[in-house]
Amino acid sequence: DRFAVNIGGQDGKSHDPVYALYRDQHFSGVVFEAFPPPALFPNIASVNKSGRVHVAVGLVKTSSVGSQLRGYGAPDAFDVLKIDIDSTDLPVLRAVLGAGFRPKLVMVEINHMIPPPLEWARLERADGAPQTGRVQEPQFFGVSANALFSELSAAGYALVAFELGSADGCATCEHNAWAVRADLLRARGFSPPDWRAMNRAYWKQTYLLNNRHGCTTATGSRRSRTAARSERDSAPCDWQPGWKLA
């Protein structure tokens, strides 16, 4: 039985790769969401004919996420882990792995405004309570690409891809890193990418996205913008890193 964990499900569907697994591949699993919009429940219900996809409402705590996953029937080596909570993404990842789980594929949202080689992550407060998002510090959320690479590498995972921007043209909708267990990658005859490969992939993605969406490039030039798909996409691209392409 294939199992997918979605930590930070929002409405359970929009710009969410796990939704397709529930809908098309009939995965079982659990969706965690601290502040569920009304659409979450019907969206999940529509792909939950068997009753094997659960919704957990509330802030995800590192002290309890492992026991929660076991309560929902997550196998030790479940298939997919997605973390996108705009907050303590790295501590939650550590807690899941520290509880003995070894998901085959991991997707974590990264803070695209803190590029390699800088390492940064938002941690829990001193009292153990989770941070709750970007409200007070809009640029300091989640985990940087370099910090995530270091964490995953030490845990036996290979970071294999970055996803900056989305296929439908929304420049600000996606900024994720994808990783697989290194032993599974080696079994297919591939070596885990090293730091140089990770760094190169990050900057290539950033460069291509900047040019695709008409953002200011490292040289200060600006390409003309085609018809914007939304007001958000037509806004200045100050959300992108301003550092030169390495």
Side-chain angles (χ1 to χ4, degrees):
D1 187 23
R2 294 175 295 182
F3 198 98
V5 175
N6 187 346
I7 300 179
Q10 299 182 44
D11 72 358
K13 182 177 180 179
S14 302
H15 292 279
D16 197 319
V18 180
Y19 179 79
L21 299 179
Y22 298 146
R23 182 192 62 198
D24 302 332
Q25 302 298 321
H26 310 296
F27 275 54
S28 55
V30 56
V31 180
F32 292 85
E33 176 53 45
F35 309 104
L40 171 63
F41 302 99
N43 284 343
I44 296 302
S46 69
V47 296
N48 191 24
K49 304 301 183 184
S50 67
R52 295 180 301 163
V53 180
H54 307 277
V55 176
V57 176
L59 292 171
V60 175
K61 298 181 179 179
T62 58
S63 59
S64 59
V65 65
S67 59
Q68 283 184 285
L69 288 174
R70 297 205 182 278
Y72 286 112
D76 286 346
F78 64 86
D79 296 275
V80 176
L81 170 64
K82 173 212 152 190
I83 302 176
D84 180 357
I85 55 176
D86 295 342
S87 178
T88 53
D89 300 61
L90 187 62
V92 169
L93 173 64
R94 286 174 177 166
V96 172
L97 299 180
F101 293 102
R102 298 286 293 166
K104 296 173 182 136
L105 183 145
V106 175
M107 190 211 87
V108 180
E109 181 187 45
I110 59 168
N111 187 326
H112 52 285
M113 291 178 282
I114 305 179
L118 302 178
E119 292 207 0
W120 185 90
R122 192 165 187 176
L123 304 178
E124 292 176 305
R125 298 201 304 256
D127 60 3
Q131 305 277 7
T132 56
R134 310 184 189 186
V135 177
Q136 299 298 324
E137 300 167 330
Q139 294 183 349
F140 295 101
F141 65 91
V143 57
S144 70
N146 213 100
L148 182 63
F149 174 81
S150 297
E151 188 75 24
L152 288 169
S153 297
Y157 283 81
L159 199 156
V160 295
F162 288 110
E163 177 189 12
L164 303 181
S166 61
D168 62 3
C170 178
T172 58
C173 288
E174 304 294 341
H175 29 88
N176 305 313
W178 296 76
V180 298
R181 273 190 4 220
D183 63 307
L184 300 178
L185 195 66
R186 292 190 184 97
R188 295 278 185 169
F190 298 98
S191 298
D194 60 12
W195 183 88
R196 288 180 181 273
M198 179 279 294
N199 185 58
R200 182 168 59 249
Y202 178 92
W203 286 111
K204 279 186 175 180
Q205 278 273 297
T206 299
Y207 176 79
L208 291 172
L209 187 63
N210 282 349
N211 280 276
R212 175 183 176 187
H213 289 280
C215 305
T216 303
T217 66
T219 61
S221 62
R222 190 174 183 85
R223 293 172 180 256
S224 60
R225 187 184 298 275
T226 57
R229 290 179 173 84
S230 68
E231 182 178 352
R232 174 165 57 179
D233 287 338
S234 65
C237 297
D238 55 1
W239 57 271
Q240 275 296 313
W243 291 269
K244 276 189 176 181
L245 185 66

